[in-house]
Coordinates of all heavy atoms in Angstrom, one line a residue:
Chain B
R104 N -10.1 -2.1 -10.6 CA -11.5 -2.0 -10.1 C -12.2 -0.8 -10.7 O -13.3 -0.8 -11.1 CB -11.5 -1.9 -8.6 CG -13.0 -1.8 -8.1 CD -13.0 -1.9 -6.6 NE -12.1 -0.9 -6.0 CZ -11.6 -1.0 -4.8 NH1 -11.7 -2.1 -4.1 NH2 -10.8 0.0 -4.3
A105 N -11.4 0.3 -10.8 CA -12.0 1.5 -11.3 C -12.4 1.4 -12.8 O -13.2 2.1 -13.3 CB -10.9 2.6 -11.2
A106 N -11.8 0.3 -13.4 CA -12.2 0.1 -14.8 C -13.1 -1.0 -15.0 O -13.3 -1.6 -16.1 CB -10.9 -0.2 -15.6
G107 N -13.7 -1.5 -13.9 CA -14.7 -2.5 -13.9 C -14.1 -4.0 -14.0 O -14.8 -4.9 -14.4
Y108 N -12.9 -4.1 -13.6 CA -12.2 -5.4 -13.6 C -12.0 -5.9 -12.2 O -12.0 -5.1 -11.2 CB -10.9 -5.4 -14.3 CG -11.0 -5.4 -15.8 CD1 -11.4 -4.2 -16.5 CD2 -10.9 -6.6 -16.6 CE1 -11.5 -4.2 -17.9 CE2 -11.0 -6.6 -17.9 CZ -11.3 -5.4 -18.6 OH -11.5 -5.5 -20.0
H109 N -11.9 -7.2 -12.1 CA -11.7 -7.8 -10.8 C -10.4 -8.6 -10.8 O -9.9 -8.9 -11.9 CB -12.8 -8.7 -10.4 CG -14.1 -8.0 -10.1 ND1 -14.5 -7.6 -8.9 CD2 -15.1 -7.6 -11.0 CE1 -15.6 -6.9 -9.0 NE2 -16.0 -7.0 -10.2
V110 N -9.8 -8.8 -9.6 CA -8.5 -9.5 -9.5 C -8.7 -10.9 -8.9 O -9.2 -11.1 -7.8 CB -7.6 -8.7 -8.6 CG1 -6.3 -9.5 -8.3 CG2 -7.2 -7.4 -9.3
L111 N -8.2 -11.9 -9.7 CA -8.1 -13.2 -9.2 C -6.7 -13.5 -8.8 O -5.7 -13.2 -9.6 CB -8.5 -14.2 -10.4 CG -9.1 -15.5 -10.0 CD1 -10.3 -15.4 -9.1 CD2 -9.5 -16.2 -11.3
L112 N -6.5 -14.0 -7.6 CA -5.2 -14.0 -7.1 C -4.5 -15.4 -7.2 O -5.2 -16.4 -6.9 CB -5.3 -13.8 -5.6 CG -4.6 -12.7 -4.9 CD1 -4.3 -11.5 -5.8 CD2 -5.3 -12.2 -3.6
F113 N -3.3 -15.5 -7.5 CA -2.5 -16.7 -7.5 C -1.2 -16.6 -6.8 O -0.4 -15.7 -7.2 CB -2.3 -17.2 -9.0 CG -3.5 -17.5 -9.7 CD1 -4.2 -16.6 -10.5 CD2 -4.1 -18.8 -9.7 CE1 -5.3 -16.9 -11.2 CE2 -5.2 -19.1 -10.4 CZ -5.8 -18.2 -11.1
D114 N -1.0 -17.4 -5.8 CA 0.2 -17.3 -5.0 C 0.9 -18.6 -5.3 O 0.4 -19.7 -5.0 CB -0.2 -17.2 -3.5 CG 1.0 -17.2 -2.6 OD1 2.0 -17.8 -2.9 OD2 0.9 -16.5 -1.6
L115 N 2.1 -18.6 -5.9 CA 2.7 -19.8 -6.3 C 3.6 -20.4 -5.3 O 4.3 -21.4 -5.6 CB 3.5 -19.4 -7.6 CG 2.9 -19.7 -9.0 CD1 1.4 -19.6 -8.9 CD2 3.4 -18.7 -10.0
W116 N 3.7 -19.9 -4.1 CA 4.6 -20.4 -3.1 C 4.1 -21.8 -2.6 O 3.0 -22.0 -2.3 CB 4.7 -19.5 -2.0 CG 5.7 -19.9 -1.0 CD1 5.6 -20.5 0.2 CD2 7.1 -19.7 -1.1 NE1 6.8 -20.7 0.8 CE2 7.8 -20.2 0.0 CE3 7.9 -19.1 -2.1 CZ2 9.1 -20.2 0.2 CZ3 9.3 -19.1 -2.0 CH2 9.9 -19.6 -0.8
E117 N 5.1 -22.7 -2.4 CA 4.8 -23.9 -1.7 C 5.9 -24.2 -0.7 O 7.1 -24.2 -1.1 CB 4.8 -25.1 -2.7 CG 3.6 -25.1 -3.6 CD 2.8 -26.4 -3.3 OE1 3.3 -27.5 -3.6 OE2 1.7 -26.2 -2.8
D118 N 5.6 -24.4 0.5 CA 6.6 -24.6 1.5 C 7.5 -25.7 1.2 O 7.1 -26.8 0.9 CB 6.0 -24.9 2.9 CG 5.2 -23.7 3.4 OD1 5.8 -22.6 3.4 OD2 4.0 -23.8 3.7
G119 N 8.8 -25.4 1.2 CA 9.8 -26.5 1.0 C 9.7 -27.3 -0.3 O 10.1 -28.4 -0.4
A120 N 9.1 -26.6 -1.3 CA 9.0 -27.3 -2.6 C 9.2 -26.3 -3.7 O 9.1 -25.1 -3.4 CB 7.7 -28.0 -2.7
P121 N 9.5 -26.7 -4.9 CA 9.6 -25.8 -6.0 C 8.2 -25.1 -6.1 O 7.2 -25.7 -5.7 CB 9.8 -26.7 -7.2 CG 10.4 -27.9 -6.7 CD 9.8 -28.1 -5.3
R122 N 8.3 -23.9 -6.6 CA 7.0 -23.2 -6.7 C 6.0 -23.8 -7.6 O 6.4 -24.6 -8.5 CB 7.2 -21.7 -7.1 CG 7.7 -21.6 -8.6 CD 7.5 -20.1 -9.1 NE 8.1 -19.9 -10.4 CZ 7.5 -20.2 -11.5 NH1 6.3 -20.8 -11.5 NH2 8.1 -19.9 -12.7
L123 N 4.7 -23.5 -7.4 CA 3.7 -24.0 -8.3 C 4.0 -23.5 -9.7 O 4.6 -22.5 -9.9 CB 2.4 -23.5 -7.9 CG 1.4 -24.4 -7.1 CD1 2.2 -25.5 -6.3 CD2 0.5 -23.6 -6.3
R124 N 3.5 -24.2 -10.7 CA 3.6 -23.7 -12.1 C 2.4 -23.0 -12.6 O 1.3 -23.2 -12.1 CB 3.9 -24.9 -13.0 CG 4.7 -26.1 -12.4 CD 6.1 -25.8 -12.4 NE 6.6 -25.2 -13.7 CZ 6.7 -25.9 -14.8 NH1 6.3 -27.2 -14.9 NH2 7.1 -25.3 -15.9
I125 N 2.7 -22.1 -13.5 CA 1.6 -21.4 -14.2 C 1.0 -22.4 -15.2 O 1.7 -22.8 -16.1 CB 2.1 -20.2 -14.9 CG1 2.7 -19.2 -13.9 CG2 0.9 -19.5 -15.7 CD1 3.4 -18.0 -14.5
T126 N -0.3 -22.7 -15.1 CA -0.9 -23.7 -16.0 C -2.0 -23.0 -16.9 O -2.6 -22.0 -16.5 CB -1.5 -24.9 -15.3 OG1 -2.6 -24.4 -14.5 CG2 -0.5 -25.5 -14.4
R127 N -2.2 -23.7 -18.0 CA -3.3 -23.3 -18.9 C -4.6 -23.3 -18.1 O -5.4 -22.4 -18.2 CB -3.3 -24.5 -19.9 CG -3.9 -24.3 -21.1 CD -3.5 -25.5 -22.0 NE -4.5 -26.6 -21.9 CZ -4.2 -27.8 -21.4 NH1 -3.1 -28.1 -20.9 NH2 -5.2 -28.7 -21.5
D128 N -4.8 -24.4 -17.3 CA -6.1 -24.5 -16.7 C -6.5 -23.4 -15.7 O -7.6 -23.1 -15.5 CB -6.1 -25.9 -15.9 CG -5.9 -27.0 -16.8 OD1 -5.0 -27.0 -17.6 OD2 -6.7 -28.0 -16.7
M129 N -5.4 -22.8 -15.1 CA -5.8 -21.8 -14.2 C -6.2 -20.5 -14.8 O -6.8 -19.6 -14.2 CB -4.7 -21.6 -13.1 CG -3.4 -21.0 -13.5 SD -2.1 -21.3 -12.2 CE -1.3 -19.7 -12.2
L130 N -5.8 -20.3 -16.1 CA -6.1 -19.0 -16.8 C -7.1 -19.1 -17.9 O -7.9 -18.2 -18.0 CB -4.7 -18.5 -17.3 CG -3.6 -18.3 -16.3 CD1 -2.4 -17.8 -17.0 CD2 -4.1 -17.3 -15.2
R131 N -7.0 -20.1 -18.7 CA -7.8 -20.2 -19.9 C -9.3 -20.0 -19.7 O -9.9 -20.7 -18.8 CB -7.6 -21.6 -20.5 CG -8.7 -21.9 -21.5 CD -8.3 -22.9 -22.5 NE -7.5 -22.2 -23.5 CZ -6.9 -22.8 -24.5 NH1 -6.9 -24.1 -24.6 NH2 -6.2 -22.1 -25.4
K132 N -9.8 -19.1 -20.4 CA -11.3 -18.8 -20.4 C -11.7 -18.2 -19.1 O -12.9 -18.2 -18.8 CB -12.1 -20.0 -20.8 CG -11.8 -20.6 -22.2 CD -12.7 -21.8 -22.4 CE -12.2 -22.5 -23.7 NZ -12.9 -23.8 -23.8
R133 N -10.8 -18.0 -18.2 CA -11.1 -17.5 -16.9 C -10.8 -16.0 -16.7 O -11.4 -15.3 -15.9 CB -10.4 -18.4 -15.8 CG -10.7 -18.0 -14.4 CD -10.3 -19.1 -13.5 NE -11.2 -20.2 -13.4 CZ -10.9 -21.5 -13.4 NH1 -9.7 -21.9 -13.5 NH2 -11.9 -22.4 -13.3
V134 N -9.7 -15.6 -17.3 CA -9.3 -14.2 -17.2 C -9.0 -13.6 -18.5 O -8.8 -14.3 -19.5 CB -8.0 -14.2 -16.3 CG1 -8.2 -14.8 -14.9 CG2 -6.8 -14.8 -17.0
D135 N -9.0 -12.3 -18.5 CA -8.8 -11.5 -19.8 C -7.4 -11.1 -19.9 O -6.9 -10.7 -21.0 CB -9.7 -10.3 -19.8 CG -11.2 -10.6 -19.9 OD1 -11.5 -11.8 -20.2 OD2 -12.0 -9.7 -19.6
G136 N -6.6 -11.2 -18.8 CA -5.2 -10.7 -18.9 C -4.5 -11.1 -17.7 O -5.1 -11.6 -16.7
V137 N -3.2 -11.1 -17.7 CA -2.5 -11.5 -16.5 C -1.3 -10.6 -16.2 O -0.6 -10.1 -17.1 CB -2.1 -13.0 -16.5 CG1 -2.3 -13.6 -17.9 CG2 -0.7 -13.3 -16.0
V138 N -1.1 -10.4 -14.9 CA 0.1 -9.7 -14.4 C 1.0 -10.7 -13.7 O 0.5 -11.3 -12.7 CB -0.2 -8.5 -13.5 CG1 1.0 -7.8 -13.0 CG2 -1.2 -7.5 -14.1
V139 N 2.2 -10.8 -14.1 CA 3.1 -11.8 -13.5 C 4.2 -10.9 -12.7 O 4.9 -10.1 -13.3 CB 3.9 -12.6 -14.5 CG1 4.9 -13.5 -13.8 CG2 2.9 -13.5 -15.3
V140 N 4.2 -11.2 -11.4 CA 5.1 -10.4 -10.6 C 6.3 -11.1 -10.1 O 6.2 -12.1 -9.4 CB 4.3 -9.8 -9.3 CG1 5.2 -8.9 -8.5 CG2 3.0 -9.2 -9.7
N141 N 7.5 -10.6 -10.4 CA 8.7 -11.1 -9.9 C 8.9 -12.6 -10.1 O 9.2 -13.3 -9.1 CB 9.0 -10.7 -8.5 CG 9.7 -9.4 -8.4 OD1 10.9 -9.4 -8.5 ND2 9.0 -8.3 -8.4
L142 N 8.6 -13.1 -11.3 CA 8.7 -14.5 -11.5 C 9.2 -14.6 -12.9 O 9.0 -13.7 -13.8 CB 7.3 -15.0 -11.5 CG 6.8 -16.1 -10.5 CD1 7.6 -16.2 -9.3 CD2 5.3 -15.8 -10.2
V143 N 10.0 -15.7 -13.2 CA 10.5 -15.9 -14.6 C 9.8 -17.2 -15.1 O 10.2 -18.3 -14.6 CB 12.0 -16.0 -14.6 CG1 12.5 -16.3 -16.0 CG2 12.7 -14.7 -14.1
P144 N 8.9 -17.1 -15.9 CA 8.2 -18.2 -16.5 C 9.3 -19.1 -17.2 O 10.1 -18.6 -17.9 CB 7.2 -17.7 -17.5 CG 7.0 -16.3 -17.1 CD 8.3 -15.8 -16.5
D145 N 9.2 -20.4 -16.9 CA 10.1 -21.3 -17.6 C 9.6 -21.6 -19.0 O 8.5 -21.1 -19.4 CB 10.4 -22.6 -16.9 CG 9.1 -23.4 -16.7 OD1 8.2 -23.3 -17.6 OD2 8.9 -24.1 -15.7
D146 N 10.3 -22.4 -19.8 CA 9.9 -22.6 -21.2 C 8.5 -23.1 -21.4 O 7.7 -22.6 -22.2 CB 10.8 -23.6 -21.8 CG 12.2 -23.1 -22.1 OD1 12.3 -21.8 -22.0 OD2 13.1 -23.8 -22.3
E147 N 8.1 -24.0 -20.5 CA 6.7 -24.6 -20.6 C 5.7 -23.5 -20.3 O 4.7 -23.3 -21.0 CB 6.6 -25.7 -19.6 CG 5.7 -26.8 -20.1 CD 5.7 -27.9 -19.1 OE1 6.8 -28.5 -18.9 OE2 4.7 -28.2 -18.5
E148 N 6.0 -22.7 -19.3 CA 5.1 -21.7 -18.9 C 5.0 -20.6 -19.9 O 3.9 -20.0 -20.2 CB 5.5 -21.1 -17.5 CG 5.4 -22.1 -16.4 CD 5.9 -21.5 -15.1 OE1 7.0 -20.9 -15.1 OE2 5.2 -21.6 -14.0
R149 N 6.1 -20.3 -20.5 CA 6.1 -19.3 -21.6 C 5.2 -19.7 -22.7 O 4.4 -18.9 -23.3 CB 7.5 -19.3 -22.2 CG 8.5 -18.3 -21.7 CD 9.8 -18.7 -22.4 NE 10.7 -17.5 -22.6 CZ 11.4 -17.0 -21.6 NH1 11.3 -17.5 -20.4 NH2 12.2 -16.0 -21.9
Q150 N 5.2 -21.0 -23.0 CA 4.4 -21.6 -24.1 C 2.9 -21.4 -23.7 O 2.1 -21.0 -24.5 CB 4.7 -23.0 -24.3 CG 5.9 -23.3 -25.1 CD 5.8 -24.6 -25.9 OE1 4.8 -25.2 -26.0 NE2 7.0 -25.1 -26.4
V151 N 2.6 -21.8 -22.5 CA 1.3 -21.7 -22.0 C 0.8 -20.2 -22.1 O -0.3 -20.0 -22.7 CB 1.2 -22.0 -20.5 CG1 -0.1 -21.6 -19.9 CG2 1.3 -23.5 -20.3
L152 N 1.6 -19.3 -21.7 CA 1.2 -17.9 -21.7 C 1.0 -17.5 -23.2 O 0.1 -16.8 -23.5 CB 2.3 -17.1 -21.1 CG 2.1 -16.4 -19.7 CD1 0.9 -16.9 -19.0 CD2 3.3 -16.5 -18.9
Q153 N 1.9 -17.9 -24.0 CA 1.9 -17.6 -25.4 C 0.7 -18.1 -26.1 O 0.0 -17.3 -26.8 CB 3.2 -18.2 -26.0 CG 3.2 -18.2 -27.5 CD 4.1 -17.1 -28.0 OE1 5.2 -16.9 -27.4 NE2 3.7 -16.5 -29.1
R154 N 0.4 -19.3 -25.9 CA -0.8 -20.0 -26.5 C -2.1 -19.4 -26.1 O -3.1 -19.4 -26.8 CB -0.8 -21.5 -26.3 CG 0.3 -22.2 -27.0 CD 0.0 -23.6 -27.2 NE 1.0 -24.3 -27.9 CZ 1.7 -25.3 -27.4 NH1 1.5 -25.7 -26.2 NH2 2.7 -25.9 -28.1
L155 N -2.1 -19.0 -24.8 CA -3.3 -18.4 -24.3 C -3.7 -17.2 -25.1 O -4.9 -16.8 -25.2 CB -3.1 -18.1 -22.8 CG -3.8 -18.9 -21.8 CD1 -4.2 -20.3 -22.3 CD2 -2.9 -19.0 -20.5
G156 N -2.7 -16.5 -25.6 CA -3.0 -15.3 -26.4 C -3.5 -14.2 -25.6 O -4.2 -13.3 -26.1
L157 N -3.3 -14.2 -24.3 CA -3.8 -13.2 -23.4 C -2.7 -12.1 -23.2 O -1.5 -12.4 -23.3 CB -4.0 -13.7 -22.0 CG -5.1 -14.8 -21.8 CD1 -5.0 -15.3 -20.4 CD2 -6.4 -14.2 -22.1
P158 N -3.2 -10.9 -23.0 CA -2.2 -9.8 -22.7 C -1.5 -10.1 -21.4 O -2.1 -10.5 -20.4 CB -3.1 -8.6 -22.5 CG -4.4 -8.9 -23.0 CD -4.5 -10.4 -23.1
V159 N -0.2 -10.0 -21.4 CA 0.6 -10.2 -20.2 C 1.4 -9.0 -19.9 O 2.1 -8.4 -20.8 CB 1.5 -11.4 -20.4 CG1 2.4 -11.6 -19.2 CG2 0.7 -12.7 -20.7
V160 N 1.4 -8.6 -18.6 CA 2.3 -7.5 -18.2 C 3.2 -8.1 -17.1 O 2.7 -8.8 -16.2 CB 1.6 -6.3 -17.7 CG1 2.5 -5.3 -17.0 CG2 0.8 -5.6 -18.8
M161 N 4.5 -7.9 -17.2 CA 5.4 -8.4 -16.2 C 5.8 -7.3 -15.2 O 5.9 -6.1 -15.6 CB 6.7 -8.8 -16.9 CG 6.6 -9.9 -17.9 SD 6.1 -11.5 -17.2 CE 7.6 -11.9 -16.3
V162 N 6.0 -7.7 -14.0 CA 6.6 -6.7 -13.0 C 7.9 -7.2 -12.5 O 8.0 -8.3 -12.0 CB 5.6 -6.5 -11.8 CG1 6.2 -5.6 -10.8 CG2 4.3 -5.9 -12.3
G163 N 8.9 -6.5 -12.7 CA 10.3 -6.8 -12.2 C 11.1 -7.6 -13.1 O 12.3 -7.4 -13.3
D164 N 10.5 -8.7 -13.7 CA 11.3 -9.5 -14.6 C 10.8 -9.4 -16.1 O 9.8 -8.7 -16.4 CB 11.2 -11.0 -14.2 CG 12.1 -11.2 -12.9 OD1 13.3 -11.3 -13.0 OD2 11.5 -11.1 -11.8
E165 N 11.6 -10.0 -17.0 CA 11.3 -9.9 -18.4 C 10.7 -11.1 -19.0 O 10.9 -12.2 -18.5 CB 12.7 -9.7 -19.1 CG 13.6 -8.6 -18.5 CD 13.6 -7.4 -19.4 OE1 13.9 -7.5 -20.5 OE2 13.4 -6.3 -18.8
L166 N 9.9 -10.8 -20.0 CA 9.3 -11.9 -20.8 C 9.3 -11.4 -22.2 O 8.6 -10.4 -22.5 CB 7.9 -12.3 -20.3 CG 7.3 -13.4 -21.0 CD1 7.9 -14.8 -20.7 CD2 5.8 -13.5 -20.6
P167 N 9.9 -12.1 -23.2 CA 9.9 -11.6 -24.5 C 8.5 -11.3 -25.0 O 7.7 -12.2 -24.8 CB 10.6 -12.7 -25.3 CG 11.4 -13.4 -24.3 CD 10.7 -13.3 -23.0
G168 N 8.3 -10.2 -25.6 CA 6.9 -9.9 -26.2 C 6.0 -9.2 -25.2 O 4.9 -8.8 -25.6
S169 N 6.3 -9.2 -23.9 CA 5.5 -8.5 -23.0 C 6.2 -7.3 -22.3 O 7.4 -7.4 -22.1 CB 5.1 -9.5 -21.9 OG 4.3 -10.5 -22.4
P170 N 5.5 -6.3 -22.0 CA 6.1 -5.1 -21.4 C 6.5 -5.5 -19.9 O 5.8 -6.2 -19.3 CB 5.1 -4.0 -21.5 CG 3.8 -4.7 -21.5 CD 4.1 -6.0 -22.3
T171 N 7.6 -4.9 -19.5 CA 7.9 -5.0 -18.1 C 7.8 -3.7 -17.3 O 8.2 -2.7 -17.9 CB 9.4 -5.5 -17.9 OG1 9.5 -6.9 -18.4 CG2 9.9 -5.5 -16.5
V172 N 7.3 -3.7 -16.2 CA 7.2 -2.5 -15.3 C 8.2 -2.8 -14.2 O 8.1 -3.9 -13.6 CB 5.8 -2.3 -14.8 CG1 5.8 -1.2 -13.8 CG2 4.8 -2.0 -15.9
G173 N 9.0 -1.9 -13.9 CA 9.9 -2.1 -12.8 C 10.9 -0.9 -12.5 O 10.6 0.2 -12.9
I174 N 12.0 -1.2 -11.9 CA 13.0 -0.2 -11.8 C 14.3 -0.7 -12.4 O 14.4 -1.8 -12.8 CB 13.3 0.1 -10.3 CG1 13.8 -1.2 -9.6 CG2 12.1 0.6 -9.6 CD1 14.4 -0.9 -8.2
D175 N 15.2 0.2 -12.6 CA 16.5 -0.2 -13.1 C 17.4 -0.7 -11.9 O 17.9 0.1 -11.2 CB 17.2 1.0 -13.8 CG 18.5 0.7 -14.4 OD1 19.1 -0.3 -13.9 OD2 19.0 1.4 -15.2
D176 N 17.4 -2.0 -11.7 CA 18.1 -2.5 -10.5 C 19.6 -2.2 -10.5 O 20.2 -2.1 -9.4 CB 17.8 -4.0 -10.4 CG 16.4 -4.3 -10.0 OD1 16.1 -4.0 -8.8 OD2 15.5 -4.7 -10.8
R177 N 20.2 -2.2 -11.7 CA 21.6 -1.9 -11.7 C 21.8 -0.4 -11.2 O 22.7 -0.2 -10.4 CB 22.1 -2.0 -13.2 CG 22.0 -3.4 -13.7 CD 22.7 -3.5 -15.1 NE 22.5 -4.8 -15.6 CZ 23.1 -5.9 -15.1 NH1 24.0 -5.9 -14.2 NH2 22.8 -7.1 -15.6
R178 N 21.0 0.4 -11.7 CA 21.1 1.8 -11.2 C 20.9 1.9 -9.7 O 21.6 2.7 -9.0 CB 20.1 2.7 -12.0 CG 20.3 4.1 -11.6 CD 19.5 5.0 -12.5 NE 19.0 6.2 -11.8 CZ 19.7 7.2 -11.3 NH1 21.0 7.1 -11.5 NH2 19.2 8.2 -10.6
A179 N 19.9 1.2 -9.2 CA 19.6 1.3 -7.8 C 20.9 0.9 -7.0 O 21.3 1.5 -6.0 CB 18.5 0.4 -7.4
M180 N 21.5 -0.2 -7.4 CA 22.7 -0.7 -6.7 C 23.8 0.3 -6.9 O 24.6 0.6 -5.9 CB 23.1 -2.1 -7.3 CG 24.4 -2.7 -6.7 SD 24.3 -2.8 -4.9 CE 23.4 -4.4 -4.7
R181 N 23.9 0.9 -8.1 CA 25.0 1.9 -8.3 C 24.8 3.1 -7.3 O 25.8 3.6 -6.8 CB 24.8 2.5 -9.7 CG 25.5 1.7 -10.8 CD 27.0 1.7 -10.5 NE 27.6 0.7 -11.4 CZ 28.8 0.7 -11.8 NH1 29.7 1.7 -11.5 NH2 29.3 -0.3 -12.6
L182 N 23.6 3.5 -7.1 CA 23.4 4.6 -6.2 C 24.0 4.4 -4.8 O 24.6 5.3 -4.3 CB 21.9 4.9 -6.1 CG 21.2 5.6 -7.4 CD1 19.7 5.7 -7.2 CD2 21.9 7.0 -7.6
V183 N 23.7 3.2 -4.3 CA 24.3 3.0 -2.9 C 25.8 2.8 -3.0 O 26.5 3.3 -2.1 CB 23.6 1.8 -2.2 CG1 22.1 2.0 -2.1 CG2 24.0 0.5 -2.9
M184 N 26.3 2.2 -4.0 CA 27.7 2.0 -4.1 C 28.4 3.3 -4.3 O 29.4 3.6 -3.6 CB 28.0 1.1 -5.3 CG 27.5 -0.4 -5.2 SD 28.2 -1.3 -3.8 CE 29.8 -1.8 -4.5
D185 N 27.9 4.2 -5.1 CA 28.5 5.5 -5.3 C 28.5 6.3 -4.0 O 29.4 7.0 -3.7 CB 27.8 6.2 -6.4 CG 28.1 5.6 -7.8 OD1 28.9 4.7 -7.9 OD2 27.4 6.0 -8.8
H186 N 27.4 6.1 -3.3 CA 27.2 6.9 -2.1 C 28.3 6.4 -1.1 O 29.0 7.2 -0.4 CB 25.8 6.6 -1.5 CG 25.6 7.1 -0.1 ND1 25.6 8.4 0.2 CD2 25.3 6.4 1.0 CE1 25.4 8.5 1.5 NE2 25.2 7.3 2.0
L187 N 28.5 5.1 -1.0 CA 29.5 4.6 0.0 C 30.9 5.0 -0.4 O 31.7 5.4 0.4 CB 29.4 3.1 0.1 CG 28.1 2.6 0.7 CD1 28.0 1.0 0.7 CD2 28.1 3.0 2.2
V188 N 31.2 5.0 -1.7 CA 32.5 5.4 -2.2 C 32.7 6.9 -1.8 O 33.8 7.3 -1.4 CB 32.6 5.2 -3.7 CG1 33.9 5.9 -4.2 CG2 32.7 3.7 -4.0
S189 N 31.6 7.7 -2.0 CA 31.8 9.1 -1.7 C 32.0 9.4 -0.3 O 32.5 10.4 0.1 CB 30.5 9.9 -2.2 OG 29.5 9.7 -1.3
L190 N 31.7 8.4 0.6 CA 31.9 8.5 2.0 C 33.3 8.0 2.4 O 33.6 7.9 3.6 CB 30.8 7.8 2.8 CG 29.4 8.5 2.7 CD1 28.4 7.6 3.5 CD2 29.4 9.9 3.3
G191 N 34.0 7.5 1.4 CA 35.3 7.0 1.7 C 35.4 5.5 2.0 O 36.5 5.0 2.3
H192 N 34.4 4.8 1.8 CA 34.4 3.4 2.1 C 35.1 2.6 1.0 O 35.0 2.9 -0.2 CB 33.0 2.8 2.3 CG 32.3 3.3 3.5 ND1 32.5 2.8 4.7 CD2 31.5 4.4 3.6 CE1 31.8 3.5 5.6 NE2 31.2 4.5 5.0
S193 N 36.0 1.7 1.4 CA 36.7 0.9 0.3 C 36.6 -0.6 0.7 O 36.9 -1.4 -0.2 CB 38.1 1.3 0.2 OG 38.7 1.2 1.5

Side-chain angles (χ1 to χ4, degrees):
Chain B
R104 180 174 55 208
Y108 282 79
H109 292 270
V110 169
L111 207 52
L112 235 35
F113 294 91
D114 181 324
L115 265 26
W116 187 260
E117 286 245 294
D118 295 306
R122 69 164 172 80
L123 254 33
R124 324 283 313 292
I125 299 173
T126 64
R127 202 167 94 243
D128 301 47
M129 72 194 220
L130 302 176
R131 157 154 288 173
K132 301 181 190 170
R133 180 166 280 135
V134 302
D135 294 345
V137 13
V138 179
V139 176
V140 186
N141 271 275
L142 244 19
V143 176
D145 61 29
D146 289 346
E147 212 175 301
E148 293 175 313
R149 266 174 151 77
Q150 282 208 17
V151 165
L152 253 14
Q153 168 101 40
R154 288 204 181 118
L155 252 20
L157 297 174
V159 174
V160 171
M161 301 291 292
V162 174
D164 287 277
E165 311 251 307
L166 182 70
S169 298
T171 292
V172 173
I174 60 169
D175 181 340
D176 287 287
R177 297 188 185 284
R178 182 169 147 67
M180 179 56 83
R181 275 295 167 154
L182 285 174
V183 302
M184 295 299 278
D185 291 354
H186 171 64
L187 291 174
V188 167
S189 78
L190 292 175
H192 293 276
S193 55

